[in-house]
Amino acid sequence: MDNQEQKHQRRVRYSGTHPKTYKEKYKELQPEKYSDTVEKVMQKGSTPAGMHRSICVDEILEFLQIQPGQVGLDATLGYGGHTLEMLKCLDLKGHIYAIDVDPVELPRTQARLESLGYGPEILTIRQMNFSSINQVVAESGPLNFILADLGVSSMQIDNPERGFSFKTEGPLDLRLNPRKGISAAERLKTIKQDELEAILIENSDEPNARAISRAIVSAIKKGTEISTTTQLQQIIKNTLKTIPGSNDPEEIKKACQRCFQALRIDVNNEFGVLSAFFEKLPTALASGGRVAILSFHSGEDRLVKKSFQRLFRDGVYCEIADEPIRASAEERISNGRARSAKLRWAVKR
Ligand SMILES: C[S@@+](CC[C@H](N)C(=O)[O-])C[C@H]1O[C@@H](n2cnc3c(N)ncnc32)[C@H](O)[C@@H]1O
C-alpha cells in the first residue's frame, strides 16, 4: 500500500484529458511499459514522444538487397528502426556498424537494440560523425551496404531541452551533439547581418531573409535576449507581421520552420560534413556495394544528386537513381514527415 501511494504521488499530472507537454507524455516515453498507449498514438497517425518512425523502410530494403553474411553501415542510427530491419535481413550472419553523432539518444538506442538480442557480435555502435566514415571502414573493411537517413529524429525534435522546435520553450541550442561546438543562441550573439541573411537564403531559401536577419541582429545589438526557441520565434513573427503577404499564421509558421532549419544546418555544419561523407563513400564501399540516402529538403537532395551524378560520370558508380524514390501515398498519409522524403541510391562499380 505504501508503495502504491508513493507511486501515485510521483505520477505526472496534466490538465485536460490528454498529456500535452513532453514531460506529461511519460507513458509514451516508456514504450516498454506502456505499449498500449504507444500503439494508440501510432494508430492516430502520430509519433509517440521519445520514438521515431523510420521512413521508406520497404523501399530502402528493396534497394539494398542485404544478404546474410554481409557487412554494412547505418550512418544515422537515430532510434535504430532502420538498423533493426537491416539486422533482420542478416539473419544473425554478418555485421552492422551503426553510428550517430548524438551522445544523448545513442545510449538509449543501443540499450534497446541490445535488449532485442543484438549485441556486439552482430552490431557495433559508435558515437561519431559520418564525415569520419573512414574510421569505421578501417575496422570493418569495405562495406556491402550503407544507409544515411539525414536530418533529425523525432526524439530530438520533441525534447524541449534540445532546442530544435519552437513549439515548446527551450534553450535555443539546435546541436546534434550538444557537447561539441556552440549553440545557435551563442552563434547569434556575434553574427553579422549579411552572414545571417546568407545562411537563411543558402540553407533554406527564406524569402524574407533580409528583414528577418536585420530584426534579429538589431534586437541583439539593443540587448534583447534571444536565448530560447520561443524568443527567436517571437522576433520572426513580429517581423513578418509587418510584411504584406507574409503575415498570415501559416506563412509565419513556415518561415519559423525555415529559419530553425537554416540555423540547425549552420551550427552542425551539415552541408560540410555531408560533402566529406560523399567524398569518402566510394572508398568505403566494396565493389558492387550499395548506398541509399534519404534526404528531407532541397539543399540536401541537391548535394546527394550532384555527388552521385559526378561519380557516375567518373565511372565510380555503375548505376544511380535517375529520379528520387518517394514514400508511398499510404506512408505519406500516416506519417507527415515522410512527405518531404527523397530516397536516392548508387551502386559502386
Ligand atoms: C532521421 S534520424 C535517423 C532515424 C533512424 N534511421 C531510425 O530509423 O530510427 C537522423 C539521425 O542522424 C543523426 N545525424 C545527423 N547528422 C549526422 C552526422 N553528420 N553524423 C552522424 N549522425 C548524424 C542525427 O543525430 C539523428 O539521430
Side-chain angles (χ1 to χ4, degrees):
M1 182 65 186
D2 273 345
N3 263 348
Q4 272 178 5
E5 271 173 9
Q6 266 179 359
K7 264 186 198 158
H8 186 68
Q9 278 169 4
R10 269 193 252 115
R11 206 191 121 219
V12 183
R13 306 213 160 268
Y14 47 85
S15 57
T17 52
H18 296 293
K20 290 178 198 73
T21 68
Y22 184 73
K23 285 207 171 116
E24 286 170 358
K25 294 180 180 175
Y26 68 100
K27 286 191 177 173
E28 294 174 38
L29 288 163
Q30 300 176 77
E32 299 81 15
K33 203 164 157 194
Y34 298 102
S35 54
D36 50 340
T37 304
V38 167
E39 197 50 43
K40 272 187 211 153
V41 175
M42 299 226 295
Q43 271 169 10
K44 279 196 278 172
S46 307
T47 301
M51 256 184 94
H52 179 90
R53 292 163 75 191
S54 305
I55 292 170
C56 287
V57 174
D58 292 344
E59 292 81 354
I60 289 168
L61 293 183
E62 191 183 335
F63 164 69
L64 290 178
Q65 295 179 15
I66 299 171
Q67 307 297 322
Q70 287 191 328
V71 179
L73 168 72
D74 187 342
T76 50
L77 172 68
Y79 190 74
H82 285 116
T83 305
L84 180 61
E85 295 308 317
M86 296 194 292
L87 280 164
K88 288 180 192 165
C89 298
L90 285 185
D91 199 17
L92 298 181
K93 291 180 270 299
H95 205 89
I96 290 188
Y97 290 79
I99 61 175
D100 202 297
V101 73
D102 181 351
V104 180
E105 291 297 334
L106 183 134
R108 295 180 190 148
T109 300
Q110 181 156 24
R112 198 179 312 113
L113 291 171
E114 252 173 33
S115 74
L116 294 173
Y118 296 104
E121 64 294 340
I122 187 102
L123 175 65
T124 299
I125 293 183
R126 296 268 152 75
Q127 191 252 314
M128 60 185 278
N129 198 302
F130 55 53
S131 58
S132 304
I133 182 183
N134 49 311
Q135 289 173 16
V136 174
V137 181
E139 188 181 334
S140 65
L143 296 157
N144 302 114
F145 59 93
I146 298 176
L147 168 68
D149 171 14
L150 303 176
V152 275
S153 66
S154 303
M155 299 90 71
Q156 291 165 330
I157 297 171
D158 289 349
N159 185 345
E161 284 164 26
R162 306 294 302 268
F164 282 107
S165 164
F166 50 88
K167 281 191 198 148
T168 45
E169 172 83 349
L172 185 63
D173 194 313
L174 288 163
R175 278 171 298 176
L176 294 166
N177 179 355
R179 297 177 195 156
K180 217 173 158 191
I182 58 164
S183 68
E186 285 297 314
R187 177 86 171 101
L188 288 182
K189 274 185 193 163
T190 55
I191 206 161
K192 298 215 165 51
Q193 184 271 325
D194 53 354
E195 193 185 356
L196 182 55
E197 182 180 343
I199 287 172
L200 299 181
I201 294 170
E202 282 161 26
N203 293 358
S204 59
D205 304 318
E206 172 49 50
N208 291 307
R210 177 155 300 172
I212 293 170
S213 56
R214 276 186 180 155
I216 292 172
V217 171
S218 99
I220 288 171
K221 269 195 190 140
K222 283 183 201 145
T224 307
E225 214 182 333
I226 311 185
S227 58
T228 71
T229 50
T230 50
Q231 283 168 346
L232 177 60
Q233 180 200 29
Q234 197 54 51
I235 293 214
I236 301 168
K237 262 188 186 172
N238 294 345
T239 311
L240 295 191
K241 275 184 188 159
T242 64
I243 303 176
S246 299
N247 55 0
D248 80 84
E250 203 41 44
E251 282 307 312
I252 291 175
K253 187 176 156 201
K254 282 187 194 155
C256 289
Q257 281 167 343
R258 286 192 295 265
C259 291
F260 272 69
Q261 175 184 293
L263 279 176
R264 192 200 83 209
I265 291 172
D266 181 74
V267 294
N268 295 294
N269 184 24
E270 289 183 29
F271 292 157
V273 295
L274 204 50
S275 298
F277 176 59
F278 289 145
E279 285 309 307
K280 293 175 182 177
L281 266 179
T283 29
L285 284 165
S287 175
R290 293 172 165 249
V291 53
I293 312 279
L294 202 52
S295 68
F296 293 88
H297 58 85
S298 54
E300 272 175 355
D301 184 55
R302 263 196 302 273
L303 276 183
V304 188
K305 182 175 156 182
K306 280 192 179 159
S307 165
F308 282 1
Q309 284 180 341
R310 180 170 57 80
L311 293 167
F312 177 68
R313 278 196 304 271
D314 292 350
V316 175
Y317 294 129
C318 58
E319 234 187 305
I320 57 170
D322 287 335
E323 291 297 325
I325 298 170
R326 310 299 298 247
S328 67
E330 201 186 353
E331 182 171 15
R332 278 184 271 154
I333 292 167
S334 77
N335 183 358
R337 223 182 148 241
R339 280 176 215 147
S340 56
K342 285 187 183 165
L343 176 65
R344 289 190 185 269
W345 54 262
V347 183
K348 167 106 182 270
R349 187 177 293 279

